[in-house]
Amino acid sequence: MSNTNTDILLAGAIAAFSVDLLVYPLDTLKTRLQSPDYKRIYINASTNTANRAVLLRGLYQGVGSVIIATLPSSGAFFTTYEGIKSLLTKHTPHFTSSSSSSFSTSPLIPQPLIHATASSIAELVSCFILTPAEVLKQNAQMVNQKPSTTSTSSPINSLSTAAQHPAATTQTAMKETPTIQVLRKFKSNPTNLWRGYTALAARNLPFTAMQFPMFEHLKKTIQTYRRSKGKSTDSLLETGIITAVSAGSAGSVAAVLTTPIDVIKTRIMLSASDNQATKSPHVVKELEANGNDAKAEVARAKQGSKGNRPSSWAIGSEVVRSEGFRGLWRGGLLRGLWTALGSGLYLGVYESGRTWLGERRDGRADGDSVV
């Protein structure tokens, strides 16, 4: 089977679109759990329980920007990954070892290291395309769709829209989607959309470096086991299922282990538009009316607007001081769950699509044979 870059781009795009639609609500819940505003917005102070009506509202907010960005970013990732993996595999020197009865050759660079290197380079390319959409998405996920309610608002909701259009706050907020509301705040400084690239790459690099070697190893192990037992059918369905199980298992482990980095990344991206809120006294007064937490956020936003944004280490230290080490693992179980589902579906659909397109190109698109 042979695959062109077009095959890889199409398979990656289809896989990304499928995942975005199906597991996006879980990602929204994870973002809200990791937000510094979680208690203020989503916890009922009188009962100390989650306000489910607010927590579960608008679970697809921001999905449009992600779909638009993940199609090219996923295509770029898989094109780079497959290209680097093939290049390193092809040009890696081999050394020969001998035993009493046979000779064998082994690559100088182990396959897990090749997979980790290829996935890391691909992730750097993908993150550059994906970062603006991630910033828009996570800020949109936090927008409170009740524009008249200030007690459950956050610095990334319709209050910032009010700063720019104080005479038509309610009318504008009701007409605009959460994504548009957030996008308006970056009009004066669109480069802020790339704030968080380093944090996103810092999370995704160890994630993919762990996931892909585990994924490739699990997939090969399962395939070898089924063939040794005579159970392999080499069908397109079997390829998809084996890939999905391997990717989901590897992805969930990598996701849980990188949760602290994800918490920091989420907070950096949620604060990307904070400095816009401080430009209007209307917004400052609204936020300060909410109490000390809001005042602290205004202070942080003002600091960020002066270019003194806290480092990733400072943000992590603040989380530990305010919430303990458990705060760095907030949303870890949910992240592991949605990553298991998302990675399984993502790579399962990708591998099946790539295989089918390759067979179709080779004139063998009967679904009964795979690589």
Side-chain angles (χ1 to χ4, degrees), residues 178-212:
T179 301
I180 297 300
Q181 291 181 46
V182 172
L183 187 60
R184 287 169 59 86
K185 299 193 297 182
F186 291 92
K187 185 177 180 180
S188 61
N189 191 8
T191 57
N192 270 0
L193 286 170
W194 272 269
R195 187 179 181 225
Y197 170 78
T198 302
L200 182 63
R203 181 201 68 177
N204 287 4
L205 284 178
F207 173 81
T208 55
M210 284 189 285
Q211 182 193 24
F212 274 81

PDB file of all heavy atoms in Angstrom, residues 178-212:
ATOM      1  N   PRO A 178     -20.240  33.082  21.433  1.00  0.00           N
ATOM      2  CA  PRO A 178     -19.104  33.188  22.355  1.00  0.00           C
ATOM      3  C   PRO A 178     -17.768  33.387  21.642  1.00  0.00           C
ATOM      4  O   PRO A 178     -16.919  34.151  22.101  1.00  0.00           O
ATOM      5  CB  PRO A 178     -19.157  31.869  23.117  1.00  0.00           C
ATOM      6  CG  PRO A 178     -20.599  31.485  23.105  1.00  0.00           C
ATOM      7  CD  PRO A 178     -21.098  31.930  21.755  1.00  0.00           C
ATOM      8  N   THR A 179     -17.572  32.704  20.525  1.00  0.00           N
ATOM      9  CA  THR A 179     -16.317  32.833  19.793  1.00  0.00           C
ATOM     10  C   THR A 179     -16.120  34.254  19.275  1.00  0.00           C
ATOM     11  O   THR A 179     -15.021  34.818  19.359  1.00  0.00           O
ATOM     12  CB  THR A 179     -16.258  31.842  18.618  1.00  0.00           C
ATOM     13  OG1 THR A 179     -16.396  30.506  19.111  1.00  0.00           O
ATOM     14  CG2 THR A 179     -14.946  31.956  17.859  1.00  0.00           C
ATOM     15  N   ILE A 180     -17.180  34.854  18.746  1.00  0.00           N
ATOM     16  CA  ILE A 180     -17.097  36.223  18.239  1.00  0.00           C
ATOM     17  C   ILE A 180     -16.839  37.199  19.378  1.00  0.00           C
ATOM     18  O   ILE A 180     -16.041  38.139  19.259  1.00  0.00           O
ATOM     19  CB  ILE A 180     -18.375  36.608  17.482  1.00  0.00           C
ATOM     20  CG1 ILE A 180     -18.552  35.716  16.250  1.00  0.00           C
ATOM     21  CG2 ILE A 180     -18.327  38.070  17.065  1.00  0.00           C
ATOM     22  CD1 ILE A 180     -17.419  35.815  15.255  1.00  0.00           C
ATOM     23  N   GLN A 181     -17.501  36.963  20.517  1.00  0.00           N
ATOM     24  CA  GLN A 181     -17.274  37.820  21.678  1.00  0.00           C
ATOM     25  C   GLN A 181     -15.801  37.814  22.084  1.00  0.00           C
ATOM     26  O   GLN A 181     -15.218  38.856  22.389  1.00  0.00           O
ATOM     27  CB  GLN A 181     -18.131  37.348  22.856  1.00  0.00           C
ATOM     28  CG  GLN A 181     -19.624  37.563  22.679  1.00  0.00           C
ATOM     29  CD  GLN A 181     -20.387  37.098  23.900  1.00  0.00           C
ATOM     30  OE1 GLN A 181     -20.020  37.393  25.020  1.00  0.00           O
ATOM     31  NE2 GLN A 181     -21.456  36.354  23.675  1.00  0.00           N
ATOM     32  N   VAL A 182     -15.210  36.624  22.095  1.00  0.00           N
ATOM     33  CA  VAL A 182     -13.805  36.511  22.474  1.00  0.00           C
ATOM     34  C   VAL A 182     -12.904  37.102  21.396  1.00  0.00           C
ATOM     35  O   VAL A 182     -11.939  37.822  21.695  1.00  0.00           O
ATOM     36  CB  VAL A 182     -13.434  35.029  22.717  1.00  0.00           C
ATOM     37  CG1 VAL A 182     -11.941  34.864  22.911  1.00  0.00           C
ATOM     38  CG2 VAL A 182     -14.184  34.491  23.928  1.00  0.00           C
ATOM     39  N   LEU A 183     -13.212  36.834  20.134  1.00  0.00           N
ATOM     40  CA  LEU A 183     -12.373  37.301  19.029  1.00  0.00           C
ATOM     41  C   LEU A 183     -12.292  38.827  18.997  1.00  0.00           C
ATOM     42  O   LEU A 183     -11.245  39.397  18.666  1.00  0.00           O
ATOM     43  CB  LEU A 183     -12.924  36.771  17.705  1.00  0.00           C
ATOM     44  CG  LEU A 183     -12.079  37.032  16.453  1.00  0.00           C
ATOM     45  CD1 LEU A 183     -10.699  36.388  16.600  1.00  0.00           C
ATOM     46  CD2 LEU A 183     -12.776  36.486  15.220  1.00  0.00           C
ATOM     47  N   ARG A 184     -13.379  39.494  19.362  1.00  0.00           N
ATOM     48  CA  ARG A 184     -13.399  40.953  19.357  1.00  0.00           C
ATOM     49  C   ARG A 184     -12.347  41.532  20.302  1.00  0.00           C
ATOM     50  O   ARG A 184     -11.798  42.601  20.058  1.00  0.00           O
ATOM     51  CB  ARG A 184     -14.786  41.456  19.772  1.00  0.00           C
ATOM     52  CG  ARG A 184     -15.860  41.265  18.716  1.00  0.00           C
ATOM     53  CD  ARG A 184     -17.235  41.540  19.306  1.00  0.00           C
ATOM     54  NE  ARG A 184     -17.306  42.903  19.833  1.00  0.00           N
ATOM     55  CZ  ARG A 184     -17.623  43.971  19.099  1.00  0.00           C
ATOM     56  NH1 ARG A 184     -17.882  43.823  17.820  1.00  0.00           N
ATOM     57  NH2 ARG A 184     -17.672  45.162  19.641  1.00  0.00           N
ATOM     58  N   LYS A 185     -12.049  40.809  21.359  1.00  0.00           N
ATOM     59  CA  LYS A 185     -11.109  41.309  22.364  1.00  0.00           C
ATOM     60  C   LYS A 185      -9.657  41.275  21.875  1.00  0.00           C
ATOM     61  O   LYS A 185      -8.785  41.905  22.464  1.00  0.00           O
ATOM     62  CB  LYS A 185     -11.227  40.510  23.663  1.00  0.00           C
ATOM     63  CG  LYS A 185     -12.619  40.620  24.293  1.00  0.00           C
ATOM     64  CD  LYS A 185     -12.632  40.095  25.704  1.00  0.00           C
ATOM     65  CE  LYS A 185     -12.306  38.639  25.771  1.00  0.00           C
ATOM     66  NZ  LYS A 185     -12.363  38.125  27.160  1.00  0.00           N
ATOM     67  N   PHE A 186      -9.417  40.537  20.794  1.00  0.00           N
ATOM     68  CA  PHE A 186      -8.064  40.447  20.253  1.00  0.00           C
ATOM     69  C   PHE A 186      -7.872  41.354  19.042  1.00  0.00           C
ATOM     70  O   PHE A 186      -6.831  41.314  18.395  1.00  0.00           O
ATOM     71  CB  PHE A 186      -7.746  39.003  19.859  1.00  0.00           C
ATOM     72  CG  PHE A 186      -7.611  38.069  21.034  1.00  0.00           C
ATOM     73  CD1 PHE A 186      -8.711  37.360  21.489  1.00  0.00           C
ATOM     74  CD2 PHE A 186      -6.405  37.919  21.688  1.00  0.00           C
ATOM     75  CE1 PHE A 186      -8.604  36.508  22.572  1.00  0.00           C
ATOM     76  CE2 PHE A 186      -6.284  37.068  22.767  1.00  0.00           C
ATOM     77  CZ  PHE A 186      -7.389  36.362  23.217  1.00  0.00           C
ATOM     78  N   LYS A 187      -8.886  42.170  18.758  1.00  0.00           N
ATOM     79  CA  LYS A 187      -8.833  43.027  17.580  1.00  0.00           C
ATOM     80  C   LYS A 187      -7.670  43.998  17.641  1.00  0.00           C
ATOM     81  O   LYS A 187      -6.984  44.248  16.643  1.00  0.00           O
ATOM     82  CB  LYS A 187     -10.153  43.785  17.441  1.00  0.00           C
ATOM     83  CG  LYS A 187     -10.256  44.617  16.162  1.00  0.00           C
ATOM     84  CD  LYS A 187     -11.621  45.274  16.074  1.00  0.00           C
ATOM     85  CE  LYS A 187     -11.734  46.105  14.791  1.00  0.00           C
ATOM     86  NZ  LYS A 187     -13.071  46.760  14.694  1.00  0.00           N
ATOM     87  N   SER A 188      -7.408  44.557  18.827  1.00  0.00           N
ATOM     88  CA  SER A 188      -6.338  45.546  18.960  1.00  0.00           C
ATOM     89  C   SER A 188      -4.955  44.913  19.054  1.00  0.00           C
ATOM     90  O   SER A 188      -3.949  45.578  18.798  1.00  0.00           O
ATOM     91  CB  SER A 188      -6.577  46.423  20.198  1.00  0.00           C
ATOM     92  OG  SER A 188      -6.572  45.628  21.371  1.00  0.00           O
ATOM     93  N   ASN A 189      -4.890  43.645  19.409  1.00  0.00           N
ATOM     94  CA  ASN A 189      -3.595  42.979  19.559  1.00  0.00           C
ATOM     95  C   ASN A 189      -3.718  41.500  19.183  1.00  0.00           C
ATOM     96  O   ASN A 189      -3.713  40.621  20.043  1.00  0.00           O
ATOM     97  CB  ASN A 189      -3.077  43.124  20.987  1.00  0.00           C
ATOM     98  CG  ASN A 189      -1.630  42.685  21.125  1.00  0.00           C
ATOM     99  OD1 ASN A 189      -0.955  42.406  20.128  1.00  0.00           O
ATOM    100  ND2 ASN A 189      -1.144  42.605  22.355  1.00  0.00           N
ATOM    101  N   PRO A 190      -3.833  41.216  17.877  1.00  0.00           N
ATOM    102  CA  PRO A 190      -4.049  39.824  17.442  1.00  0.00           C
ATOM    103  C   PRO A 190      -2.894  38.881  17.770  1.00  0.00           C
ATOM    104  O   PRO A 190      -3.084  37.667  17.806  1.00  0.00           O
ATOM    105  CB  PRO A 190      -4.242  39.962  15.921  1.00  0.00           C
ATOM    106  CG  PRO A 190      -3.622  41.266  15.564  1.00  0.00           C
ATOM    107  CD  PRO A 190      -3.815  42.151  16.756  1.00  0.00           C
ATOM    108  N   THR A 191      -1.704  39.426  18.025  1.00  0.00           N
ATOM    109  CA  THR A 191      -0.574  38.546  18.346  1.00  0.00           C
ATOM    110  C   THR A 191      -0.793  37.810  19.670  1.00  0.00           C
ATOM    111  O   THR A 191      -0.157  36.782  19.921  1.00  0.00           O
ATOM    112  CB  THR A 191       0.745  39.343  18.425  1.00  0.00           C
ATOM    113  OG1 THR A 191       0.615  40.385  19.401  1.00  0.00           O
ATOM    114  CG2 THR A 191       1.082  39.962  17.075  1.00  0.00           C
ATOM    115  N   ASN A 192      -1.696  38.331  20.504  1.00  0.00           N
ATOM    116  CA  ASN A 192      -2.005  37.641  21.761  1.00  0.00           C
ATOM    117  C   ASN A 192      -2.650  36.281  21.521  1.00  0.00           C
ATOM    118  O   ASN A 192      -2.706  35.447  22.432  1.00  0.00           O
ATOM    119  CB  ASN A 192      -2.950  38.491  22.617  1.00  0.00           C
ATOM    120  CG  ASN A 192      -2.188  39.429  23.543  1.00  0.00           C
ATOM    121  OD1 ASN A 192      -0.964  39.441  23.549  1.00  0.00           O
ATOM    122  ND2 ASN A 192      -2.908  40.224  24.302  1.00  0.00           N
ATOM    123  N   LEU A 193      -3.131  36.061  20.304  1.00  0.00           N
ATOM    124  CA  LEU A 193      -3.719  34.758  19.978  1.00  0.00           C
ATOM    125  C   LEU A 193      -2.665  33.649  20.020  1.00  0.00           C
ATOM    126  O   LEU A 193      -3.015  32.479  20.137  1.00  0.00           O
ATOM    127  CB  LEU A 193      -4.379  34.803  18.593  1.00  0.00           C
ATOM    128  CG  LEU A 193      -5.699  35.559  18.496  1.00  0.00           C
ATOM    129  CD1 LEU A 193      -6.113  35.724  17.041  1.00  0.00           C
ATOM    130  CD2 LEU A 193      -6.791  34.835  19.278  1.00  0.00           C
ATOM    131  N   TRP A 194      -1.405  34.037  19.889  1.00  0.00           N
ATOM    132  CA  TRP A 194      -0.329  33.030  19.948  1.00  0.00           C
ATOM    133  C   TRP A 194       0.264  32.935  21.343  1.00  0.00           C
ATOM    134  O   TRP A 194       1.220  32.217  21.549  1.00  0.00           O
ATOM    135  CB  TRP A 194       0.759  33.349  18.922  1.00  0.00           C
ATOM    136  CG  TRP A 194       0.458  32.742  17.596  1.00  0.00           C
ATOM    137  CD1 TRP A 194       0.836  31.512  17.138  1.00  0.00           C
ATOM    138  CD2 TRP A 194      -0.314  33.322  16.545  1.00  0.00           C
ATOM    139  NE1 TRP A 194       0.348  31.290  15.879  1.00  0.00           N
ATOM    140  CE2 TRP A 194      -0.365  32.390  15.482  1.00  0.00           C
ATOM    141  CE3 TRP A 194      -0.978  34.540  16.387  1.00  0.00           C
ATOM    142  CZ2 TRP A 194      -1.032  32.644  14.293  1.00  0.00           C
ATOM    143  CZ3 TRP A 194      -1.640  34.786  15.199  1.00  0.00           C
ATOM    144  CH2 TRP A 194      -1.663  33.856  14.174  1.00  0.00           C
ATOM    145  N   ARG A 195      -0.321  33.662  22.306  1.00  0.00           N
ATOM    146  CA  ARG A 195       0.152  33.519  23.670  1.00  0.00           C
ATOM    147  C   ARG A 195      -0.258  32.135  24.172  1.00  0.00           C
ATOM    148  O   ARG A 195      -1.423  31.761  24.090  1.00  0.00           O
ATOM    149  CB  ARG A 195      -0.456  34.586  24.578  1.00  0.00           C
ATOM    150  CG  ARG A 195       0.203  34.511  25.943  1.00  0.00           C
ATOM    151  CD  ARG A 195      -0.317  35.551  26.898  1.00  0.00           C
ATOM    152  NE  ARG A 195       0.412  35.389  28.150  1.00  0.00           N
ATOM    153  CZ  ARG A 195      -0.136  35.392  29.345  1.00  0.00           C
ATOM    154  NH1 ARG A 195      -1.421  35.579  29.476  1.00  0.00           N
ATOM    155  NH2 ARG A 195       0.593  35.224  30.419  1.00  0.00           N
ATOM    156  N   GLY A 196       0.667  31.411  24.654  1.00  0.00           N
ATOM    157  CA  GLY A 196       0.382  30.046  25.074  1.00  0.00           C
ATOM    158  C   GLY A 196       0.979  29.008  24.144  1.00  0.00           C
ATOM    159  O   GLY A 196       0.873  27.809  24.405  1.00  0.00           O
ATOM    160  N   TYR A 197       1.647  29.464  23.043  1.00  0.00           N
ATOM    161  CA  TYR A 197       2.281  28.489  22.147  1.00  0.00           C
ATOM    162  C   TYR A 197       3.313  27.657  22.890  1.00  0.00           C
ATOM    163  O   TYR A 197       3.364  26.430  22.759  1.00  0.00           O
ATOM    164  CB  TYR A 197       2.939  29.192  20.960  1.00  0.00           C
ATOM    165  CG  TYR A 197       3.813  28.269  20.134  1.00  0.00           C
ATOM    166  CD1 TYR A 197       3.240  27.377  19.230  1.00  0.00           C
ATOM    167  CD2 TYR A 197       5.203  28.263  20.277  1.00  0.00           C
ATOM    168  CE1 TYR A 197       4.031  26.513  18.483  1.00  0.00           C
ATOM    169  CE2 TYR A 197       5.999  27.407  19.537  1.00  0.00           C
ATOM    170  CZ  TYR A 197       5.407  26.536  18.640  1.00  0.00           C
ATOM    171  OH  TYR A 197       6.197  25.668  17.909  1.00  0.00           O
ATOM    172  N   THR A 198       4.136  28.348  23.683  1.00  0.00           N
ATOM    173  CA  THR A 198       5.177  27.632  24.433  1.00  0.00           C
ATOM    174  C   THR A 198       4.561  26.641  25.404  1.00  0.00           C
ATOM    175  O   THR A 198       5.023  25.495  25.527  1.00  0.00           O
ATOM    176  CB  THR A 198       6.059  28.629  25.207  1.00  0.00           C
ATOM    177  OG1 THR A 198       6.638  29.553  24.277  1.00  0.00           O
ATOM    178  CG2 THR A 198       7.170  27.895  25.946  1.00  0.00           C
ATOM    179  N   ALA A 199       3.486  27.074  26.099  1.00  0.00           N
ATOM    180  CA  ALA A 199       2.827  26.186  27.059  1.00  0.00           C
ATOM    181  C   ALA A 199       2.155  25.014  26.347  1.00  0.00           C
ATOM    182  O   ALA A 199       2.181  23.876  26.829  1.00  0.00           O
ATOM    183  CB  ALA A 199       1.792  26.961  27.875  1.00  0.00           C
ATOM    184  N   LEU A 200       1.543  25.285  25.189  1.00  0.00           N
ATOM    185  CA  LEU A 200       0.894  24.217  24.428  1.00  0.00           C
ATOM    186  C   LEU A 200       1.929  23.211  23.934  1.00  0.00           C
ATOM    187  O   LEU A 200       1.726  21.996  24.040  1.00  0.00           O
ATOM    188  CB  LEU A 200       0.128  24.811  23.244  1.00  0.00           C
ATOM    189  CG  LEU A 200      -0.640  23.827  22.362  1.00  0.00           C
ATOM    190  CD1 LEU A 200      -1.745  23.142  23.159  1.00  0.00           C
ATOM    191  CD2 LEU A 200      -1.231  24.533  21.142  1.00  0.00           C
ATOM    192  N   ALA A 201       3.050  23.734  23.412  1.00  0.00           N
ATOM    193  CA  ALA A 201       4.118  22.839  22.957  1.00  0.00           C
ATOM    194  C   ALA A 201       4.732  22.077  24.126  1.00  0.00           C
ATOM    195  O   ALA A 201       5.035  20.889  24.013  1.00  0.00           O
ATOM    196  CB  ALA A 201       5.194  23.643  22.226  1.00  0.00           C
ATOM    197  N   ALA A 202       4.882  22.765  25.271  1.00  0.00           N
ATOM    198  CA  ALA A 202       5.464  22.114  26.453  1.00  0.00           C
ATOM    199  C   ALA A 202       4.574  20.991  26.965  1.00  0.00           C
ATOM    200  O   ALA A 202       5.063  20.020  27.547  1.00  0.00           O
ATOM    201  CB  ALA A 202       5.686  23.140  27.564  1.00  0.00           C
ATOM    202  N   ARG A 203       3.258  21.111  26.760  1.00  0.00           N
ATOM    203  CA  ARG A 203       2.360  20.029  27.153  1.00  0.00           C
ATOM    204  C   ARG A 203       2.345  18.924  26.106  1.00  0.00           C
ATOM    205  O   ARG A 203       2.423  17.732  26.419  1.00  0.00           O
ATOM    206  CB  ARG A 203       0.932  20.558  27.337  1.00  0.00           C
ATOM    207  CG  ARG A 203      -0.051  19.472  27.775  1.00  0.00           C
ATOM    208  CD  ARG A 203      -1.501  19.836  27.466  1.00  0.00           C
ATOM    209  NE  ARG A 203      -1.766  19.864  26.031  1.00  0.00           N
ATOM    210  CZ  ARG A 203      -2.974  20.094  25.526  1.00  0.00           C
ATOM    211  NH1 ARG A 203      -3.994  20.368  26.328  1.00  0.00           N
ATOM    212  NH2 ARG A 203      -3.166  20.109  24.221  1.00  0.00           N
ATOM    213  N   ASN A 204       2.242  19.316  24.835  1.00  0.00           N
ATOM    214  CA  ASN A 204       2.069  18.328  23.771  1.00  0.00           C
ATOM    215  C   ASN A 204       3.333  17.549  23.439  1.00  0.00           C
ATOM    216  O   ASN A 204       3.254  16.394  23.002  1.00  0.00           O
ATOM    217  CB  ASN A 204       1.535  19.014  22.510  1.00  0.00           C
ATOM    218  CG  ASN A 204       0.074  19.400  22.637  1.00  0.00           C
ATOM    219  OD1 ASN A 204      -0.531  19.223  23.701  1.00  0.00           O
ATOM    220  ND2 ASN A 204      -0.502  19.944  21.581  1.00  0.00           N
ATOM    221  N   LEU A 205       4.506  18.173  23.617  1.00  0.00           N
ATOM    222  CA  LEU A 205       5.745  17.453  23.301  1.00  0.00           C
ATOM    223  C   LEU A 205       5.940  16.221  24.182  1.00  0.00           C
ATOM    224  O   LEU A 205       6.142  15.114  23.660  1.00  0.00           O
ATOM    225  CB  LEU A 205       6.947  18.394  23.402  1.00  0.00           C
ATOM    226  CG  LEU A 205       7.129  19.380  22.247  1.00  0.00           C
ATOM    227  CD1 LEU A 205       8.330  20.283  22.498  1.00  0.00           C
ATOM    228  CD2 LEU A 205       7.292  18.649  20.924  1.00  0.00           C
ATOM    229  N   PRO A 206       5.888  16.349  25.516  1.00  0.00           N
ATOM    230  CA  PRO A 206       6.011  15.132  26.327  1.00  0.00           C
ATOM    231  C   PRO A 206       4.839  14.190  26.133  1.00  0.00           C
ATOM    232  O   PRO A 206       5.001  12.963  26.209  1.00  0.00           O
ATOM    233  CB  PRO A 206       6.080  15.655  27.768  1.00  0.00           C
ATOM    234  CG  PRO A 206       5.499  17.020  27.721  1.00  0.00           C
ATOM    235  CD  PRO A 206       5.838  17.561  26.365  1.00  0.00           C
ATOM    236  N   PHE A 207       3.668  14.752  25.868  1.00  0.00           N
ATOM    237  CA  PHE A 207       2.494  13.899  25.641  1.00  0.00           C
ATOM    238  C   PHE A 207       2.691  13.008  24.415  1.00  0.00           C
ATOM    239  O   PHE A 207       2.540  11.785  24.489  1.00  0.00           O
ATOM    240  CB  PHE A 207       1.244  14.770  25.462  1.00  0.00           C
ATOM    241  CG  PHE A 207       0.025  13.994  25.059  1.00  0.00           C
ATOM    242  CD1 PHE A 207      -0.717  13.305  26.006  1.00  0.00           C
ATOM    243  CD2 PHE A 207      -0.385  13.945  23.732  1.00  0.00           C
ATOM    244  CE1 PHE A 207      -1.849  12.572  25.636  1.00  0.00           C
ATOM    245  CE2 PHE A 207      -1.514  13.223  23.355  1.00  0.00           C
ATOM    246  CZ  PHE A 207      -2.241  12.534  24.312  1.00  0.00           C
ATOM    247  N   THR A 208       3.030  13.628  23.277  1.00  0.00           N
ATOM    248  CA  THR A 208       3.206  12.829  22.056  1.00  0.00           C
ATOM    249  C   THR A 208       4.451  11.952  22.136  1.00  0.00           C
ATOM    250  O   THR A 208       4.474  10.845  21.589  1.00  0.00           O
ATOM    251  CB  THR A 208       3.309  13.735  20.811  1.00  0.00           C
ATOM    252  OG1 THR A 208       4.362  14.691  21.001  1.00  0.00           O
ATOM    253  CG2 THR A 208       2.008  14.469  20.578  1.00  0.00           C
ATOM    254  N   ALA A 209       5.501  12.456  22.826  1.00  0.00           N
ATOM    255  CA  ALA A 209       6.728  11.656  22.961  1.00  0.00           C
ATOM    256  C   ALA A 209       6.474  10.394  23.769  1.00  0.00           C
ATOM    257  O   ALA A 209       7.138   9.364  23.565  1.00  0.00           O
ATOM    258  CB  ALA A 209       7.831  12.490  23.616  1.00  0.00           C
ATOM    259  N   MET A 210       5.514  10.453  24.688  1.00  0.00           N
ATOM    260  CA  MET A 210       5.133   9.257  25.443  1.00  0.00           C
ATOM    261  C   MET A 210       4.103   8.427  24.688  1.00  0.00           C
ATOM    262  O   MET A 210       4.182   7.193  24.635  1.00  0.00           O
ATOM    263  CB  MET A 210       4.565   9.662  26.811  1.00  0.00           C
ATOM    264  CG  MET A 210       5.601  10.094  27.817  1.00  0.00           C
ATOM    265  SD  MET A 210       4.893  10.295  29.483  1.00  0.00           S
ATOM    266  CE  MET A 210       4.004  11.832  29.278  1.00  0.00           C
ATOM    267  N   GLN A 211       3.110   9.114  24.093  1.00  0.00           N
ATOM    268  CA  GLN A 211       2.001   8.394  23.489  1.00  0.00           C
ATOM    269  C   GLN A 211       2.395   7.567  22.273  1.00  0.00           C
ATOM    270  O   GLN A 211       2.039   6.387  22.176  1.00  0.00           O
ATOM    271  CB  GLN A 211       0.888   9.363  23.091  1.00  0.00           C
ATOM    272  CG  GLN A 211      -0.331   8.639  22.489  1.00  0.00           C
ATOM    273  CD  GLN A 211      -1.301   9.571  21.799  1.00  0.00           C
ATOM    274  OE1 GLN A 211      -0.944  10.658  21.365  1.00  0.00           O
ATOM    275  NE2 GLN A 211      -2.546   9.153  21.695  1.00  0.00           N
ATOM    276  N   PHE A 212       3.121   8.169  21.339  1.00  0.00           N
ATOM    277  CA  PHE A 212       3.351   7.480  20.070  1.00  0.00           C
ATOM    278  C   PHE A 212       4.253   6.256  20.183  1.00  0.00           C
ATOM    279  O   PHE A 212       3.975   5.236  19.537  1.00  0.00           O
ATOM    280  CB  PHE A 212       3.852   8.469  19.013  1.00  0.00           C
ATOM    281  CG  PHE A 212       2.716   9.159  18.306  1.00  0.00           C
ATOM    282  CD1 PHE A 212       2.081  10.231  18.882  1.00  0.00           C
ATOM    283  CD2 PHE A 212       2.260   8.698  17.083  1.00  0.00           C
ATOM    284  CE1 PHE A 212       1.017  10.859  18.255  1.00  0.00           C
ATOM    285  CE2 PHE A 212       1.199   9.312  16.438  1.00  0.00           C
ATOM    286  CZ  PHE A 212       0.571  10.398  17.023  1.00  0.00           C
TER     287      PHE A 212
END
